[in-house]
Each structure stands twice: as C-alpha cells, then as structure tokens.
Amino acid sequence: MQNAIVRDGAYMRRLKDALYAQYGIAALEVTPASRGYYGETWKVCADSGCYFLKIDALPFHQTRYRRSLSVIEYLCENGIDFVGTIIRTRQNALCFDFDAAVAALFVWVDGENVETDETKTPEYQMLCKIYRLTKPGLGIPSASFSDDAAVRFYEQWDALKRAPQTDANRAALDVLERYKAKTDHCAARLAHFAARCRQHPAAFYLTHGDAGGNFFVGNGRNYILDWDEIMYAPLERDAWVMGCYDWARRLFNDTLQANGIDDRLCPERLAFYSYHMFFFYLGEFLQVHPMQDKSQRIRAYFEDGWILSRIRFADMIA
C-alpha cells in the first residue's frame, strides 16, 4: 500500500537513481504494478530485462519482509523455481534502504493473479515441495496457539475510541459496535481452540499463509509469490481458507499423502486458524487501510465477506 510520499517526477528520478546505484540497472520505464498488499510495487523495465520492485514503508511489517528474502533465496537454491527470484545488490545484499522503507528487486514474473477451485491442485502440490524443505534456523517466527490476534484487535478498537473523533473514526466505531456480538463470539471460540490445540502438539512446516491469494499463472507456468508472511506453522495455516469445503480438505490430505508427507488436517486446528485469521484481517483493516476506507471495508467483511463461510464451518466444530 502507498504511503504519504508523493510519487511525482522527482520521486521517480530518485527511484531510478537508487536502482542504478544499488544494481547498476538503468531503468527505462518504471510503472505501477498491482501486486502485493503491504508494499508499494513497481514494474521496472531496462535493457537488461524486466524486474519487480517492492518497497515496504510500514515499520511494523518491514522486519517480516526482510527476513522472508533469505528464505526465498534458500528455496531457490534448493530447486524451487516458483517463488520469485531475488536480485542481489552490488554489495551482495538482498535488499536496500530507500527513504525510510525497505526495497528489494526480483525478476519480473509475467503472469496474472488467478485463484479458482481448479488451481487448488497445483497450489497444494507446490506447497508440498515447500513443506519438504522445512528445516530449523531460517530466522523466521514460529506460530503459537494463542488468542493474541483477538487481543490486539480489541486493543486497536480501544485506541480508536480514544483517538480524535472524526467522521471517519465515528463511522468505523459504529460498524464495530454493530457487530460486537460477532467479534465477542469469535474471540471466545478462538481462546477455546487455542487452548485445545496447545494440548495436542503439531508438526510445523514452512507455510505461506495466503498461497491461494498469491497464485500466479503465466506463460504456461504456475507461481506462488509474496512470501512476506512465511512462518513455521502447522499445515492448517495454509489449508484453513478452503477448509470449509469437504472436497478441498480431501484434496489437501490426498496431496500430502501423494508427496510422502505423513500428516493430516486436524479439525481443531482448522477452527483455530479460521478464528485467528478472522481477527488478523480485522486488525489489518484498522492498522493498514486509510481511515476513510475502514468503515466500508469492515461492514463488507461482516455482511457479505468471504470469511463468513469459514466462520460458519468453524462454528460447527465442537
């Protein structure tokens, strides 16, 4: 997402200068690329080829972005060719500082972001290749079974109540209050399943967190891009979003078996991640999006959002 810096001619000249200083790449054209949720993204075209530039100006997210880059390189070094290819700087670094942001350059992937029921088969097959490369010591966080996502959301809600009461603030607070019973219900369920999951240890793998939302198809090839949120976690972190469908759970389990991964989806962990991610996305609405957009996004999330079918599924798990 764009920050408050104006992307005028002077900014673009500085950006091109930085690319030449860092990579020796003389950019002929730099155009916006509609990829990525947190970052400012650009397509860079030069005589040497086309590149994808992602600039992360959000302080709370920059650490995640930095540490994901070394894992992407680790995957590439081990034969994974669908996660993006990082271009190292002249100083052999994986990223560089640009203003107060973190920037990294990748080989451009000429494809479209596509997610359908049919793409789940290749997506799960590709994820299994990642799972088999799981090893400790990659410098990324490990998931925990807690209700922290709900706690953080309520803290953000309280902070919004204490903030100056602009029209946009009041609109967001009105929507949140309207659906307080729903959030309270999900918070109680999250705490319940967090406690239950802590009682039953799970195997942890390298997980993406939103592989379907970053599944790209182009030139006859499939890719899973944007690994900012890579984390050691149980398989349900990748499977929960389609876990409300019987066919998707069967497909995920069958794909694990076909790839020699001795694990199966657990209903309790699917429920945990359904409630956890319910609060994760609510928190993102409050933290990342412009204030004037928050009430509309939150209202749509509660009234007709895709999350509702996932919560209905989780509500049926005892």
Side-chain angles (χ1 to χ4, degrees):
M1 299 189 68
Q2 304 272 334
N3 61 23
I5 298 173
V6 177
R7 274 66 181 171
D8 56 10
Y11 178 86
M12 299 309 298
R13 285 191 294 273
R14 288 198 304 110
L15 191 57
K16 290 181 178 181
D17 289 345
L19 288 168
Y20 188 77
Q22 294 292 333
Y23 299 97
I25 293 173
L28 301 174
E29 187 178 24
V30 179
T31 55
S34 58
R35 300 180 179 179
Y37 182 75
Y38 296 102
E40 169 188 338
T41 56
W42 303 93
K43 182 178 183 180
V44 178
C45 292
D47 287 337
S48 54
C50 291
Y51 307 90
F52 175 69
L53 176 66
K54 181 172 178 178
I55 304 172
D56 191 336
L58 295 171
F60 81 93
H61 193 260
Q62 288 175 356
T63 300
R64 305 180 206 175
Y65 183 37
R66 284 184 189 273
R67 63 193 176 197
S68 73
L69 300 175
S70 61
V71 185
I72 292 173
E73 190 165 72
Y74 159 73
L75 294 174
C76 290
E77 289 170 348
N78 284 273
I80 302 298
D81 60 358
F82 54 78
V83 296
T85 303
I86 301 170
I87 307 296
R88 282 185 171 265
T89 70
R90 285 173 160 177
Q91 290 73 37
N92 201 36
L94 293 172
C95 58
F96 67 96
D97 294 330
F98 183 70
D99 294 337
V102 177
L105 192 69
F106 303 78
V107 173
W108 177 260
V109 170
D110 194 14
E112 296 295 326
N113 190 188
V114 177
E115 183 181 15
T116 66
D117 289 352
E118 288 70 31
T119 63
K120 291 301 157 185
T121 294
E123 175 193 328
Y124 294 166
Q125 291 170 345
M126 293 158 77
L127 285 173
C128 283
K129 293 181 179 180
I130 302 295
Y131 299 152
R132 290 202 300 265
L133 289 173
T134 299
K135 71 171 188 178
L138 292 176
I140 56 175
S142 293
S144 63
F145 294 114
S146 74
D147 63 349
D148 286 352
V151 172
R152 285 193 297 270
F153 163 72
Y154 283 108
E155 289 173 348
Q156 291 172 295
W157 189 348
D158 287 340
L160 187 60
K161 292 177 182 177
R162 296 192 300 269
Q165 291 306 291
T166 63
D167 289 344
N169 276 13
R170 283 192 291 270
L173 288 170
D174 286 346
V175 175
L176 289 172
E177 191 62 38
R178 186 183 312 167
Y179 294 101
K180 187 175 185 301
K182 185 68 171 180
T183 56
D184 288 350
H185 163 78
C186 289
R189 295 280 287 174
L190 175 59
H192 168 74
F193 282 106
R196 288 181 61 179
C197 289
R198 288 195 297 269
Q199 296 172 0
H200 305 287
F204 275 29
Y205 303 84
L206 290 174
T207 61
H208 183 285
D210 186 21
N214 289 278
F215 190 91
F216 279 73
V217 179
N219 296 326
R221 295 202 56 203
N222 299 321
Y223 304 86
I224 299 176
L225 303 177
D226 193 357
W227 290 81
D228 294 6
E229 302 293 327
I230 192 167
M231 179 184 293
Y232 295 117
L235 298 168
E236 288 79 9
R237 182 171 185 256
D238 284 333
W240 76 274
V241 72
M242 296 296 290
C244 57
Y245 302 113
D246 292 342
W247 68 264
R249 295 196 303 276
R250 286 195 301 271
L251 177 62
F252 198 98
N253 284 330
D254 290 347
T255 307
L256 293 176
Q257 184 175 14
N259 283 271
I261 298 173
D262 186 21
D263 208 339
R264 294 295 178 270
L265 295 178
C266 166
E268 292 178 351
R269 292 196 291 268
L270 287 173
F272 167 81
Y273 271 104
S274 297
Y275 296 118
H276 169 83
M277 295 305 295
F278 171 83
F279 284 106
F280 175 85
Y281 287 118
L282 274 177
E284 295 297 277
F285 293 154
L286 292 179
Q287 187 169 12
V288 177
H289 291 280
M291 193 66 238
Q292 62 270 23
D293 295 341
K294 295 186 192 299
S295 60
Q296 293 179 355
R297 288 181 177 273
I298 296 169
R299 182 181 296 108
Y301 189 68
F302 279 111
E303 293 180 356
D304 57 9
W306 58 270
I307 193 72
L308 299 180
S309 57
R310 281 67 181 176
I311 295 302
R312 285 194 293 269
F313 166 76
D315 282 347
M316 292 188 298
I317 297 174

